[in-house]
């Protein structure tokens, strides 16, 4: 029996590439002078954008055509508008935007027929979501409800002993109201709704949960938690050896079991019941075929240790987030959840529950020109619209599940991609 698998030996051969030890040592050394430092430009201006492009043309393979593509006249003229969202601005990327819908949503907050902008470079994606939206709308629309709301930030504290950690937890619980008041002085819209200590020997994590109004609230809760932590260090008689404003416990931009069970952001559940005839006529398969696929797919999710069980929430969320100015990196945690199918009298019930939808109708990238347009298309820009935006996001994921599961169940998945992507 081989102790070293063949693929390990092959990897080592590729790394060496036939070079001697002396040649390998030289390969990973660059004797050239260090490059000229990039002068930071935190406030974008037309002059700073042009200066960056002057350097890019001199030092890289970038061409005048590249400059025209990224630094178009409208972007350059309005450069200052981007200063709150990016540093070292050199332009904007144009991503194709398509429409899915109209999707009828009968939600607690989102009520109506929505045309949904999706920004993507993946052919067949918009067509798939559009198909699911049409079928769900013909079935009467998606039922959707915001179930809970709260963004986590979890600072961590290190102590000399477990006893000190326990005394610290005791003090935090006793002075929780004072800590909440301190945190809320940093924000007009954020509210600290709970502080939960989690102790592991001499380390304590504080699960600080906030509501964030109509913003996604990532920066809001970070600033508030920093103020809370500084008051703790100032006033608590038990002094930590060190502390960090986020100790990787909250699940920020990561799929986590904590987020799955407790939620981080806006938790939404959505469902629709499709009549049997609609499944057969519009999805070109049977209810039983879709259930057969769902059973096997759930087993696949279970056997591979997926967090949640769903088909492709990330596809719809990524396109939706890009089109509406959300933090695209939050798809890592937002695309966690469960899709479920059950046979019902006369049809098929399909539901999608996502506990970590991080969206806002204000703040972040929502005020930028293209993203503002996306929110205006939805009619969900500005104060009072974030809950509805989250229900639209979950409903979008639901109709995406309908379409992809039907395509796989009917054996049409490859044909659709071949005709809509390669076939063009």
């Amino acid at each position: 029996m081989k102790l070293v698998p063949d693929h390990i030996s092959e990897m080592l051969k590729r790394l060496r590439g036939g070079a001697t030890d002396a040649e390998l040592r030289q390969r990973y050394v660059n004797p050239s002078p260090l490059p000229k430092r990039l002068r930071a430009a935190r406030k974008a201006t037309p002059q700073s954008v042009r200066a960056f492009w002057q350097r890019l043309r001199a030092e890289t393979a970038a061409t005048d055509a590249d400059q025209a593509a990224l630094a178009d006249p409208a972007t350059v003229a309005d450069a200052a508008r981007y200063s709150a969202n990016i540093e070292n601005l050199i332009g904007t990327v144009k991503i194709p935007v398509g429409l899915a819908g109209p999707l009828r949503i009968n939600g607690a907050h989102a009520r109506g027929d929505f045309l949904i902008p999706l920004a993507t470079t993946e052919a067949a994606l918009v067509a798939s979501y559009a198909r699911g939206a049409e079928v769900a709308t013909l079935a009467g629309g998606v039922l959707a409800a915001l179930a809970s709301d709260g963004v986590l930030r979890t600072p961590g504290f290190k102590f000399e002993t477990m006893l000190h950690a326990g005394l610290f937890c005791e003090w935090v619980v006793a002075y929780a109201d004072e800590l909440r008041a301190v945190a809320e002085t940093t924000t007009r819209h954020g509210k600290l709704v709970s502080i939960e200590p989690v102790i592991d020997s001499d380390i304590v994590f504080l699960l600080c949960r906030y509501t964030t109004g109509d913003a996604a609230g990532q920066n809001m809760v970070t600033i508030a938690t920093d103020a809370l932590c500084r008051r703790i260090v100032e006033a608590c008689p038990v002094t930590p050896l060190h502390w960090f404003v986020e100790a990787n416990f909250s699940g920020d931009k990561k799929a986590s079991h904590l987020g799955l069970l407790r939620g981080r952001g806006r938790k939404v559940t959505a469902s629709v019941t499709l009549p049997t005839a609609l499944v057969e006529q519009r999805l070109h398969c049977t209810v039983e075929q879709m259930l057969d696929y769902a059973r096997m797919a759930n087993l696949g999710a279970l056997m591979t240790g997926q967090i949640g069980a769903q088909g492709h929430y990330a596809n719809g969320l990524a396109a939706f987030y890009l089109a509406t100015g959300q933090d695209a990196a939050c798809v890592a945690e937002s695309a966690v959840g469960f899709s479920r199918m059950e046979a019902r009298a006369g049809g098929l019930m399909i539901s999608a529950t996502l506990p970590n939808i991080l969206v806002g109708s204000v703040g972040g990238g929502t005020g930028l020109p293209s993203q503002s347009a996306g929110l205006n298309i939805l009619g969900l820009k500005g104060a009072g619209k974030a809950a509805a935006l989250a229900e639209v996001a979950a409903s979008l994921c639901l109709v995406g599940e309908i379409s992809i599961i039907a395509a796989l169940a009917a054996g049409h998945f490859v044909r659709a991609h071949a005709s809509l992507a390669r076939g063009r």
Side-chain angles (χ1 to χ4, degrees):
M1 183 180 72
K2 289 185 177 180
L3 292 177
V4 179
D6 289 340
H7 73 274
I8 299 294
S9 300
E10 290 300 318
M11 178 193 71
L12 294 173
K13 288 179 183 177
R14 286 195 299 272
L15 288 172
R16 177 171 284 278
T20 66
D21 289 350
E23 289 170 336
L24 281 175
R25 283 192 289 270
Q26 288 300 314
R27 180 181 295 173
Y28 298 105
V29 175
N30 187 344
S32 303
L34 291 175
K36 184 174 67 174
R37 180 174 174 268
L38 187 69
R39 185 179 294 277
R42 291 182 177 86
K43 184 173 183 180
T45 65
Q47 293 76 21
S48 70
V49 174
R50 284 192 285 268
F52 279 126
W53 276 102
Q54 186 176 6
R55 177 170 177 176
L56 286 170
R57 287 196 306 274
E59 300 180 11
T60 74
T63 65
D64 289 346
D66 297 326
Q67 180 175 353
L70 288 172
D72 59 274
T75 295
V76 175
D78 208 17
R81 186 170 181 178
Y82 297 90
S83 292
N85 297 89
I86 196 168
E87 303 76 42
N88 299 342
L89 176 73
I90 64 167
T92 53
V93 171
K94 290 77 175 176
I95 302 174
V97 180
L99 284 175
L103 172 59
R104 177 159 294 181
I105 302 176
N106 308 310
H109 301 275
R111 299 191 62 81
D113 300 327
F114 294 88
L115 287 165
I116 303 174
L118 300 174
T120 182
T121 59
E122 182 184 347
L125 186 145
V126 172
S128 179
Y129 281 84
R131 181 174 82 139
E134 180 183 24
V135 172
T137 298
L138 288 171
V142 174
L143 300 177
L146 178 71
S148 62
D149 179 6
V151 179
L152 283 175
R153 185 58 72 215
T154 54
F157 300 81
K158 168 79 171 179
F159 297 92
E160 290 184 6
T161 67
M162 184 192 302
L163 174 60
H164 289 91
L167 293 172
F168 171 82
C169 292
E170 187 177 63
W171 186 91
V172 167
V173 170
Y175 288 87
D177 288 338
E178 178 184 332
L179 296 175
R180 176 176 59 191
V182 170
E184 292 179 4
T185 61
T186 67
T187 172
R188 289 179 298 160
H189 306 290
K191 301 295 180 185
L192 179 62
V193 295
S194 66
I195 306 176
E196 181 181 341
V198 175
I199 187 169
D200 186 290
S201 186
D202 55 358
I203 289 178
V204 176
F205 299 96
L206 294 181
L207 275 68
C208 301
R209 184 178 295 275
Y210 299 81
T211 57
T212 57
D214 288 298
Q218 297 278 62
N219 291 334
M220 181 192 300
V221 303
T222 301
I223 293 168
T225 303
D226 183 71
L228 177 151
C229 290
R230 293 184 186 280
R231 175 56 62 89
I232 287 175
V233 173
E234 177 185 275
C236 181
V238 186
T239 304
L241 298 176
H242 50 257
W243 63 277
F244 308 99
V245 72
E246 172 57 58
N248 207 28
F249 197 98
S250 68
D252 186 355
K253 298 178 182 175
K254 291 170 281 290
S256 72
H257 289 288
L258 178 69
L260 182 70
L261 296 174
R262 304 281 293 275
R264 184 179 185 274
R266 305 178 201 273
K267 179 177 181 178
V268 182
T269 186
S271 66
V272 65
T273 298
L274 306 178
T276 299
L278 191 62
V279 172
E280 294 173 351
Q281 293 165 11
R282 294 299 181 126
L283 297 176
H284 310 293
C285 63
T286 66
V287 168
E288 192 55 38
Q289 283 177 311
M290 292 185 71
L291 288 170
D292 284 342
Y293 176 82
R295 283 186 283 265
M296 187 178 291
N298 282 334
L299 176 62
L302 179 65
M303 291 179 68
T304 56
Q306 294 175 32
I307 299 180
Q310 39 86 17
H312 67 150
Y313 291 168
N315 259 336
L317 287 176
F320 185 70
Y321 279 20
L322 289 171
T324 59
Q326 313 305 320
D327 187 339
C330 289
V331 171
E333 58 186 305
S334 296
V336 166
F338 290 95
S339 292
R340 189 161 56 87
M341 288 189 175
E342 291 180 6
R344 295 285 170 87
L348 177 69
M349 189 283 294
I350 306 175
S351 70
T353 300
L354 295 88
N356 305 315
I357 296 177
L358 281 142
V359 295
S361 57
V362 301
T366 61
L368 295 177
S370 299
Q371 292 75 14
S372 179
L375 289 170
N376 282 331
I377 289 169
L378 286 162
L380 296 177
K381 179 175 170 57
K385 305 295 178 62
L389 193 66
E391 290 181 355
V392 171
S395 300
L396 175 71
C397 290
L398 172 65
V399 301
E401 297 294 274
I402 292 171
S403 187
I404 195 172
I405 290 170
L408 287 162
H412 300 158
F413 183 75
V414 175
R415 186 181 71 191
H417 278 75
S419 63
L420 290 173
R422 289 189 180 181
R424 294 179 184 178

